[in-house]
Amino acid sequence: MSRRTPIILVSALAASLAGLPLVHAQAAETPVLSDPLVKESATGSYIVQLDDAPVAEYDGDIAGLPSTRVDGGGKLVKTDAPVTSYVQHLSRERDEVLKATPDAKKLYDYNYTYSGFSAEMSYDDAVKLAKSSGVKSVEPSGMQHQDTVDTPRFLGLSGKGGTWQQVGGIDKAGDGVIIGVIDGGFTPERPSFAPIKTTKKSDALVAKKWKGICQAGEEAPLVTCNNKVIGARYFNKGIGTRPIPEEFTSPRDFGGHGTHTASTAAGNYGVDMTVLGRDYGKGSGMAPHARLAIYKALWSVDAAGGGSGTDADIIAAIDTAVADGVDVINYSISGTGATYFNTTGMAFMRAAKAGVFVAVSAGNTGPGVSTVGKTYPWVTTVANGTHDRDIQTTVTLGDGSKFTGAGIGSGTPSSPVVLAKDAGLPGANPANLVLCQAGTLDPAKATGKIVVCDRGGNARVDKSAQVKAVGGIGMILVNIVPGTLDADLHTVPSVHLDDKATPTVKAYVSGTANPTATISAGTPVKVVAPKVAASSSRGPSLAGNGDLLKPDIMAPGTNVLAATSAFGAAGGEYAFFSGTSMSTPHVAGIAAILKSKHPDWSPMAIKSALATTATTKDSAGQPIQNDSGTPATPFGYGAGMVQPKKVLDPGLVYDSTYADWAKFVCASGEVPTTHELCAGGKIDPSDLNYPTIAVGDLAGKQTITRTVKSVSKLPEVYFPKVTGATGLKVTVSPKVLIALPGKSVTYKVTIENAGAPLEQYSFGTLTWKSAFHAVSSTLAVKPLTVKAPVQVKGTGVSGSAPVSVTAGYTGTLNTTAVGLTAATVTDAVVKKAGGVSFPATNPQANDHVAKFTVAIPAGTKYARFSTFDADYPAATDVDVYVYKSGTTAVLANSGGGSSEEEANLVAPAAGSYDVYIDFFAGADNTTVKLNHWALTTAEGNLTVAPASQPVTTAAQSTVTATWTGLTAGTRYLGQLSFTDGGAGTGSTVLRVDS
């Protein structure tokens, strides 16, 4: 569950590339515009990183302090003498650093996965700290948000030959493993968290590694732990006074999200689950015998119960969980996909180094391209797939026509029905009215009726709540564009219909005198699954130029039944939730079973087993589709749907270490070559020893290296088989792998373009087969005419920047330039922040939304629409949406948690475009500024050299961009275009701040 409703993005891939690294991996030396020393924090708090390493990677270079570094296969033990001594040293370093800012209010100390602290302080103090001796960096603490049973039967955990049986029974599934859930807390009274029957051996194993505590909280009912939930903590120093009064200052869950994820991962077996009086049978978590440790870092900050948390609290939870001794972390929280290098990513990197498997949600902003979040290679990113058990409801209209959708309620008798647009209060905003938002419906027009509400804007369950509040007795929720159908727990009987039914339903209601409808009770049915949920975020990853396949894997995440809080279950105990938040704990629980069975396996070996045994087929044996009915790709499902039956015995695994990840990050171009992560050199990101193979920038030909380790008990002989990869020549060497137990063997894959379409991805599979195993790696390859950085930056009224390019052909490379064009800046005053999701399918200007109409001339090669943090006070959050005038289809959008937004259009058609700036958060009466560029012709201030040069396939060349005569204090944009003299092209955007 996220604060913004997922929308359909129909722009080209390049139109969604806001946030990419400034320089491509092969152009790491290109001069870039320096960011401010410290970016101002919207929350008023900052995360300070010390020069000294965290415990997980301190190598003993300080006299008198032995190394605490966690090497491969090791475990961080916070009570070891070297660890406690080094933590005391970090404490002294923190105290020394803080002397420079006596007014700072420290929130948390970080020792184990991150070295430093967080504190509330003024921006001036933050800048002062950043310049202080002993400080490596100071970053703002941002705000993150939630990404929102017979699943064991569906996945093959239960039943004859299932995973539980393979590990020795239900009481062995996850035995001795601790899952840390970083979320919104838990509801202790749920049977999913009741004490379990354990063995002395299991208890001793847990006691040996567990170092955590159980916090009771500040108010009744107090939280207690047991041998199931062995620890619970809460972190609220960063969130401050933002939570609503109903929230619990304790590990107790208010909104229900944390209870749902925890019980899905490791809830007890055989729990009776009832929703709205209907018995859904006995449910179970994935690893029913794993222990749980709860880390509450998300808090309900609005009446909808949605969870939000600051980076300061989240980093503290990660740091504490690793030090407490957890084996697995579930993290169903939002995050960026534009970088590998941020505080959360680095904390998880150290967690993985310390042997902790981390499952994270891919995000709920699909199905647009490059929307996937949290793309760090050291975590496992999980997509949302549909379940083969659906809860269906039928609505029968007065003319006899019937439409089946999702719904779990008791139904309604034949009743009057009205469109929301015809049931509004006088003066209600039409855009908000059709969405059934708060304060728009008129009781005089809705009482006793079923109301038809459009999906989007506010939460689905909020729409039914608004209908009930004005006396409505039912709701028909209709999709406007293709999307999932969700059996939510509504406050009036409701049915959720797809976009295909919407026009007919609306036509009947609006065109019939005294229209009526009947909603049936929800009925469980079996359907073909999985399908990729429309809301599930897609690849390719913004970070790394597509050289790492994300998401990693898919698990059930739509209409998942699990325990929740009284608020989340409308007074009950269980509810159906949907989102990548729900798919992620499935993988965390399955990983716990693997860890219990193979305690010496690393997090990456576990990820490999999950990925190489996944399936790309649905329950009917056909290729997985999107829930809109179109063919799905690995950018939706990763390696495929998880298959727990096969993960325990994968045959071969792909492993990697902290040193490999550091080389990967160094090569990504996100850190300078002088950064400590580059001390060991760098590797092409495609060469990270990953269980999938991705090349986002194939310049003619590339050879990839992989190493596999046999985890079988007997020697095996493997042979390679490549399927798919149309238009690519894939050569594997050697042709035979001799895999000896416990030994590793290396192979190479050479991929050459042999007619595959340029500038688009081709997919395939490389499978190593033996007599006993099939080890599959997904291939995702994008052949390019020219491999070039997406963007480079420069500064000054004159200057130059070298641009490294690699040709995918042998011939002549021609380079031309358009621009540099100065930004056109227009502004408008917005009265107050909205704090609600932008109604993307029905945009309107209002008190918190400014509308700008921009003329794009014919021949425009590239257009950009931007806002900048530097133009706004701290704590301001704006979002940008771009439409062709007169339409409601989003062409491009940018919706991060700050004022630094960028939406791009490649070769847009001439005409008028409407650009909306949504003022999400900030002070009243703020002036919002739109910067836009339309690149059409050369301006005479930018030259390239050489304009023409010979190139050969896969060889690197350099083009130098030089600018002069710019006006100081202006933002300029230009574009370099590369051609092979024919249809093949490539380009690099040049941003210059003079």
Side-chain angles (χ1 to χ4, degrees):
M1 296 183 290
S2 159
R3 69 173 169 91
R4 295 184 174 89
T5 302
I7 61 173
I8 301 292
L9 297 183
V10 296
S11 56
L13 170 61
S16 66
L17 290 178
L20 270 170
L22 301 184
V23 186
H24 185 271
Q26 294 200 5
E29 303 301 328
T30 303
V32 299
L33 178 67
S34 296
D35 285 333
L37 187 62
V38 179
K39 291 184 178 180
E40 195 160 1
S41 172
T43 65
S45 58
Y46 295 83
I47 297 174
V48 181
Q49 183 177 195
L50 300 176
D51 280 336
D52 289 335
V55 168
E57 57 186 39
Y58 168 61
D59 60 6
D61 58 348
I62 301 174
L65 293 175
S67 171
T68 61
R69 183 178 61 206
V70 180
D71 294 319
K75 187 77 174 177
L76 191 155
V77 180
K78 71 177 183 181
T79 54
D80 284 354
V83 173
T84 57
S85 295
Y86 186 64
V87 168
Q88 291 171 0
H89 164 76
L90 292 178
S91 179
R92 292 190 294 269
E93 291 296 300
R94 272 189 292 267
D95 292 344
E96 188 64 30
V97 165
L98 278 165
K99 289 179 180 178
T101 54
D103 294 332
K105 178 186 175 183
K106 190 169 65 169
L107 301 176
Y108 297 103
D109 291 338
Y110 307 134
N111 297 303
Y112 305 98
T113 61
Y114 201 83
S115 167
F117 60 93
S118 56
E120 293 177 351
M121 67 183 83
S122 68
Y123 178 63
D124 287 344
D125 277 349
V127 173
K128 183 187 297 183
L129 269 185
K131 299 176 181 178
S132 299
S133 174
V135 173
K136 180 177 293 185
S137 65
V138 178
E139 299 182 37
S141 170
M143 188 77 75
Q144 308 299 337
H145 311 275
Q146 297 167 350
D147 278 343
T148 237
V149 182
D150 70 337
T151 307
R153 187 269 317 155
F154 175 43
L155 291 179
L157 287 156
S158 59
K160 185 177 181 180
T163 309
W164 290 343
Q165 187 181 78
Q166 291 181 51
V167 298
I170 293 162
D171 60 352
K172 296 295 183 183
D175 189 38
V177 173
I178 306 168
I179 301 177
V181 181
I182 300 175
D183 209 297
F186 80 121
T187 305
E189 296 78 17
R190 295 294 173 262
S192 297
F193 307 125
I196 58 176
K197 185 178 180 180
T198 62
T199 64
K200 291 182 178 180
K201 179 180 178 181
S202 175
D203 289 342
L205 179 61
V206 170
K208 182 178 180 180
K209 56 188 171 184
W210 177 243
K211 308 299 178 187
I213 61 173
C214 186
Q215 292 179 314
E218 295 184 10
E219 74 276 276
L222 298 177
V223 168
T224 59
C225 297
N226 52 32
N227 70 345
K228 176 63 179 183
V229 181
I230 60 175
R233 299 191 185 210
Y234 63 98
F235 303 85
N236 62 350
K237 296 177 182 177
I239 199 71
T241 60
R242 296 180 185 88
I244 57 177
E246 295 85 351
E247 251 290 12
F248 302 104
T249 310
S250 78
R252 180 175 291 275
D253 185 14
F254 174 77
H257 189 273
T259 302
H260 204 280
T261 56
S263 59
T264 299
N268 289 337
Y269 175 79
V271 173
D272 292 316
M273 293 187 173
T274 302
V275 181
L276 295 179
R278 179 185 289 275
D279 181 8
Y280 284 94
K282 294 184 182 296
S284 174
M286 299 301 99
H289 231 64
R291 316 299 179 96
L292 283 164
I294 305 298
Y295 300 87
K296 182 175 178 177
L298 299 185
W299 302 84
S300 294
V301 296
D302 54 43
S308 298
T310 66
D311 289 330
D313 291 337
I314 290 169
I315 299 300
I318 298 170
D319 201 54
T320 303
V322 174
D324 282 351
V326 303
D327 301 292
V328 174
I329 287 176
N330 186 84
Y331 186 80
S332 295
I333 302 175
S334 68
T336 180
T339 180
Y340 301 122
F341 185 73
N342 60 11
T343 52
T344 305
M346 291 300 100
F348 279 140
M349 187 177 181
R350 279 74 174 253
K353 182 180 182 183
V356 179
F357 177 92
V358 181
V360 301
S361 52
N364 300 324
T365 54
V369 297
S370 297
T371 50
V372 63
K374 301 179 292 297
T375 56
Y376 323 118
W378 42 86
V379 304
T380 299
T381 307
V382 188
N384 171 8
T386 59
H387 202 290
D388 75 338
R389 182 264 304 117
D390 199 9
I391 313 297
Q392 292 187 349
T393 296
T394 298
V395 59
T396 303
L397 303 179
D399 63 1
S401 56
K402 296 183 178 182
F403 301 91
T404 298
I408 60 173
S410 56
T412 69
S414 179
S415 307
V417 60
V418 64
L419 299 180
K421 76 178 184 67
D422 298 324
L425 290 165
N429 184 310
N432 295 338
L433 175 59
V434 297
L435 300 173
C436 294
Q437 291 198 358
T440 61
L441 294 171
D442 188 345
K445 300 174 183 176
T447 297
K449 296 179 180 179
I450 297 169
V451 182
V452 181
C453 303
D454 289 358
R455 182 177 187 170
N458 51 332
R460 297 184 299 271
V461 294
D462 180 58
K463 298 174 190 293
S464 60
Q466 300 305 324
V467 171
K468 182 178 182 180
V470 295
I473 63 168
M475 178 182 71
I476 302 173
L477 175 63
V478 294
N479 283 354
I480 305 303
V481 294
T484 54
L485 299 181
D486 300 283
D488 299 303
L489 189 60
H490 290 285
T491 48
V492 294
S494 301
V495 59
H496 187 179
L497 300 180
D498 65 25
D499 59 297
K500 299 178 182 65
T502 300
T504 305
V505 171
K506 287 190 172 184
Y508 164 76
V509 176
S510 63
T512 304
N514 304 314
T516 61
T518 304
I519 300 175
S520 73
T523 303
V525 297
K526 285 290 186 293
V527 294
V528 174
K531 297 179 180 179
V532 184
S535 61
S536 188
S537 297
R538 267 53 168 198
S541 165
L542 286 173
N545 205 32
D547 280 351
L548 187 78
L549 179 61
K550 286 284 181 171
D552 290 299
I553 201 162
M554 186 167 72
T558 300
N559 296 335
V560 174
L561 177 59
T564 187
S565 66
F567 179 91
E573 295 185 340
Y574 304 94
F576 293 92
F577 283 7
S578 296
T580 54
S581 282
M582 284 63 251
S583 56
T584 304
H586 285 85
V587 170
I590 295 165
I593 297 175
L594 261 172
K595 186 69 175 177
S596 177
K597 180 70 173 179
H598 302 289
D600 58 332
W601 281 17
S602 73
M604 297 303 99
I606 293 173
K607 175 197 284 194
S608 175
L610 293 165
T612 61
T613 59
T615 180
T616 59
K617 299 294 180 65
D618 62 23
S619 55
Q622 298 301 309
I624 293 174
Q625 292 189 318
N626 297 312
D627 66 2
S628 62
T630 58
T633 75
F635 289 140
Y637 54 69
M641 187 70 159
V642 63
Q643 292 194 107
K645 268 190 176 182
K646 296 185 176 182
V647 298
L648 296 173
D649 182 24
L652 305 172
V653 295
Y654 297 81
D655 209 345
S656 57
T657 66
Y658 180 89
D660 300 320
W661 310 330
K663 293 175 184 177
F664 173 92
V665 174
C666 181
S668 73
E670 294 186 31
V671 297
T673 55
T674 55
H675 193 277
E676 62 185 25
L677 288 173
C678 295
K682 59 184 178 180
I683 57 173
D684 187 293
S686 295
D687 276 331
L688 181 68
N689 202 46
Y690 218 65
T692 53
I693 297 175
V695 183
D697 49 9
L698 180 69
K701 183 177 182 180
Q702 188 168 336
T703 297
I704 311 299
T705 302
R706 288 290 188 270
T707 298
V708 288
K709 178 183 178 181
S710 173
V711 290
S712 296
K713 295 180 179 179
L714 297 173
E716 293 185 60
V717 180
Y718 286 87
F719 299 91
K721 181 179 180 180
V722 176
T723 56
T726 304
L728 299 174
K729 180 182 178 183
V730 182
T731 305
V732 183
S733 177
K735 296 295 185 184
V736 178
L737 288 185
I738 309 297
L740 302 178
K743 301 298 183 182
S744 297
V745 60
T746 297
Y747 69 89
K748 294 183 180 296
V749 181
T750 299
I751 303 174
E752 187 172 1
N753 188 8
L758 295 173
E759 319 303 330
Q760 60 182 276
Y761 276 89
S762 294
F763 302 101
T765 305
L766 165 62
T767 302
W768 286 99
K769 290 188 174 182
S770 74
F772 306 103
H773 297 99
V775 186
S776 295
S777 292
T778 300
L779 305 175
V781 181
K782 182 180 180 181
L784 301 181
T785 305
V786 176
K787 179 177 178 178
V790 174
Q791 177 171 287
V792 295
K793 283 189 176 184
T795 59
V797 296
S798 62
S800 65
V803 181
S804 297
V805 296
T806 305
Y809 63 97
T810 296
T812 301
L813 173 67
N814 302 305
T815 307
T816 57
V818 294
L820 293 164
T821 300
T824 298
V825 184
T826 50
D827 58 43
V829 175
V830 284
K831 294 182 179 180
K832 58 183 179 180
V836 296
S837 297
F838 183 75
T841 57
N842 196 1
Q844 297 284 339
N846 53 43
D847 284 352
H848 64 88
V849 177
K851 177 183 177 182
F852 302 87
T853 299
V854 177
I856 298 295
T860 297
K861 297 175 175 59
Y862 187 88
R864 175 173 290 182
F865 309 89
S866 295
T867 60
F868 296 93
D869 280 338
D871 294 337
Y872 297 90
T876 304
D877 182 359
V878 301
D879 302 318
V880 175
Y881 295 81
V882 182
Y883 301 78
K884 195 78 164 60
S885 293
T887 71
T888 58
V890 178
L891 298 180
N893 83 298
S894 182
S898 69
S899 302
E900 193 83 15
E901 306 292 354
E902 176 186 303
N904 303 310
L905 297 177
V906 177
S912 294
Y913 288 75
D914 292 335
V915 183
Y916 295 86
I917 295 183
D918 181 20
F919 183 49
F920 188 84
D924 291 351
N925 299 311
T926 290
T927 298
V928 294
K929 295 182 179 181
L930 175 66
N931 295 255
H932 73 268
W933 300 263
L935 305 182
T936 54
T937 60
E939 301 281 355
N941 52 15
L942 174 64
T943 59
V944 293
S948 179
Q949 60 180 308
V951 293
T952 57
T953 301
Q956 193 174 85
S957 303
T958 299
V959 175
T960 300
T962 302
W963 59 92
T964 187
L966 305 187
T967 301
T970 305
R971 299 177 175 119
Y972 287 86
L973 202 70
Q975 186 183 51
L976 278 62
S977 295
F978 312 104
T979 72
D980 60 358
T985 62
S987 64
T988 294
V989 173
L990 174 64
R991 244 286 302 280
V992 178
D993 285 5
S994 59

